[in-house]
Amino acid sequence: MPRFFCPAPLHTGAVLELPAGAARHVQVLRLQPGDSITLFNHGPHWESGSADSSPGGEFDATVTQMGRSHVQVQVGAHRAVEREALREVHLAVVMPANERMDWLVEKATELGVASIQPLISERSVLRLAGERAEKKVAHWQSVAVSACEQCGGNRVPRIYPVAPLAQWLRGLAASNAQEIDAVRLLLSLREGSHPLRGWATANVTAPAVFLSGPEGGLSATEEEAAVASGFSAVSLGARVLRAETAALTALALLA
Ligand code: SAH
């Protein structure tokens, strides 16, 4: 059954118009009045303090009207089903260039990532700021929505605004961001890194945030700064993995 992210309060029996994104998607699929769909509404907009608006899970719904651009639905039964990862895993990744970041956001969402923090570091190929950065983040957020619609995830991961690595590390120390309670892991090729697999099996449900470098790697200074901010170096083995392979491998081991 087609699934749609509907970032609005959902209650059994309610009749509502789908938000533009979901409505467009319903039009593209040429659904008709009477067709059944699934709606879920737990997204990044509701992370802080508004949990009441979203009981999580998903709702059955039926298309009741199809207009030129609007789609009306009636919300049916709530199902308290979640398909989330075993633990909360936050990914802080120095953005790989080209379409690789789109790809990474999609796959990370499928693997159950809780949030993604796109970063810029010394050796970043992709340097985004201002409006371009905002547009990209909005685009990645929509990639995450589509991935959830496809894979059955009922909680859309938040894509945070692009930040320079040094600033993000400082913010971690100062803020009460959710990630602050998570174990901090640095994906690193440096000697003495502990195998991530070992850590993951010994700590099956501990929330984690892991930091992953760009194509050219993190500089020694950046790795030191991460370690000084409480990150432990972990390894994925002897081979040098592409930035996006490394991030996804870590997620697969952790989530
Ligand atoms: N040319 C760079 C390679 C960077 S690979 C260098 O030699 O340093 C990109 C990122 O992926 C790295 O910064 C690291 O975070 C991660 N990574 C790649 N392979 C890894 C491995 N075997 N173990 C842990 N992290 C790895």
Side-chain angles (χ1 to χ4, degrees):
M1 192 181 308
R3 294 164 37 82
F4 302 97
F5 177 56
C6 180
L10 296 174
H11 304 283
T12 300
V15 174
L16 53 93
E17 273 197 22
L18 290 183
R24 209 172 316 116
H25 196 165
V26 167
Q27 304 272 8
V28 168
L29 292 177
R30 299 181 181 281
L31 296 183
Q32 298 300 322
D35 283 347
S36 298
I37 59 176
T38 299
L39 299 177
F40 60 102
N41 67 353
H42 191 106
H45 323 287
W46 288 346
E47 258 170 28
S48 48
S50 53
D52 297 355
S53 325
S54 172
E58 57 193 26
F59 289 82
D60 294 331
T62 309
V63 176
T64 46
Q65 259 182 41
M66 295 284 291
R68 259 181 188 281
S69 58
H70 82 272
V71 173
Q72 191 190 64
V73 300
Q74 175 153 36
V75 182
H78 177 245
R79 273 176 281 127
V81 50
E82 299 289 355
R83 304 180 187 89
E84 302 315 305
L86 216 53
R87 74 174 98 220
E88 235 175 72
V89 189
H90 303 274
L91 163 60
V93 60
V94 180
M95 301 171 288
N98 307 323
E99 286 76 47
R100 289 172 188 272
M101 184 64 181
D102 283 27
W103 193 83
L104 176 55
V105 170
E106 179 180 281
K107 305 304 169 207
T109 304
E110 289 170 33
L111 290 172
V113 76
S115 76
I116 300 179
Q117 169 63 65
L119 295 170
I120 298 177
S121 71
E122 276 175 40
R123 299 185 193 143
S124 278
V125 178
L126 183 59
R127 295 187 167 273
L128 292 172
E131 205 181 318
R132 263 186 76 220
E134 280 169 28
K135 277 199 179 140
K136 270 292 184 193
V137 169
H139 168 68
W140 291 326
Q141 191 65 73
S142 72
V143 170
V145 165
S146 301
C148 277
E149 290 176 339
Q150 177 270 322
C151 76
N154 282 332
R155 289 169 187 260
V156 179
R158 177 193 286 266
I159 317 294
Y160 285 100
V162 174
L165 173 60
Q167 182 188 315
W168 179 74
L169 287 174
R170 278 197 301 276
L172 262 193
S175 81
N176 56 358
Q178 205 176 4
E179 294 92 295
I180 208 137
D181 290 330
V183 177
R184 298 174 185 183
L185 304 168
L186 165 67
L187 295 189
S188 173
L189 291 152
R190 55 159 64 194
E191 260 180 51
S193 298
H194 293 289
L196 178 59
R197 192 189 295 275
W199 184 86
T201 31
N203 304 273
V204 178
T205 55
V209 53
F210 70 90
L211 170 60
S212 171
E215 291 88 337
L218 295 173
S219 70
T221 320
E222 287 172 330
E223 291 216 346
E224 288 309 327
V227 170
S229 302
F231 282 80
S232 309
V234 290
S235 162
L236 298 169
R239 281 185 298 273
V240 180
L241 306 175
R242 290 254 198 187
E244 68 278 15
T245 316
L248 291 178
T249 305
L251 253 175
L253 284 173
L254 291 170

